[in-house]
Amino acid sequence: MERKEINPWTWQDERHYAQAIEVKNPERTLYISGQTAIDANGISSTADFKSQLLLSIANLEEVLVKAGYKNTDITRITLYTTSFDELGQNFGTIQEWIVSNNIRTAITVVEVSKLFETTVVELEATAAK
């Protein structure tokens, strides 16, 4: 597989993402449903935003591992949140995860009025290898 970042500018570098990721000749592609702060027993979290974000990340990683992928295989993330304000206060958490795992991905952030049950953040991803 060939993977190429496309960045007409440099300003996205400090935010740790790419404007586009081109993938040529992937062997496999994984489309991951939105991962929220739901525990292994199917119980939705009522915890604070940061705790929910961390559990959503952990759930995303668990799906990747179960499918035989790594974090670095992620090519796209769509992050849904019920609050841009709370996401802004906790954006360092997701950036730290991206940087510490050497993830280079296209990313979109969308504010929505409601997510599943009591969840406040959801991560949907695509991975290729």
Side-chain angles (χ1 to χ4, degrees):
M1 175 188 88
E2 294 178 50
R3 180 184 173 123
K4 177 183 173 185
E5 286 185 35
I6 297 147
N7 290 310
W9 314 282
T10 58
W11 56 260
Q12 72 282 328
D13 295 344
E14 68 186 50
R15 295 180 174 107
H16 309 289
Y17 74 95
Q19 295 295 331
I21 302 289
E22 179 182 51
V23 177
K24 290 183 183 179
N25 304 313
E27 185 180 301
R28 297 167 39 196
T29 304
L30 182 66
Y31 302 94
I32 304 168
S33 294
Q35 298 300 304
T36 60
I38 297 177
D39 70 18
N41 296 314
I43 307 298
S44 295
S45 176
T46 58
D48 61 66
F49 192 95
K50 183 174 182 176
S51 297
Q52 287 202 27
L53 179 56
L54 290 169
L55 182 52
S56 298
I57 290 169
N59 288 343
L60 174 60
E61 289 180 322
E62 189 164 342
V63 172
L64 282 165
V65 168
K66 182 74 172 178
Y69 286 76
K70 300 178 285 188
N71 290 344
T72 54
D73 296 325
I74 296 171
T75 56
R76 178 164 183 75
I77 295 173
T78 304
L79 191 155
Y80 300 95
T81 179
T82 58
S83 172
F84 273 140
D85 291 339
E86 285 188 87
L87 176 61
Q89 294 166 18
N90 293 279
F91 205 72
T93 300
I94 190 122
Q95 282 190 314
E96 184 179 301
W97 173 70
I98 287 170
V99 170
S100 68
N101 286 280
N102 199 30
I103 299 169
R104 292 297 292 181
T105 184
I107 189 167
T108 300
V109 178
V110 181
E111 184 177 51
V112 296
S113 62
K114 183 141 177 70
L115 288 168
F116 185 71
E117 296 182 342
T118 57
T119 60
V120 296
V121 64
E122 184 169 332
L123 299 170
E124 179 183 80
T126 303
K129 59 189 301 180

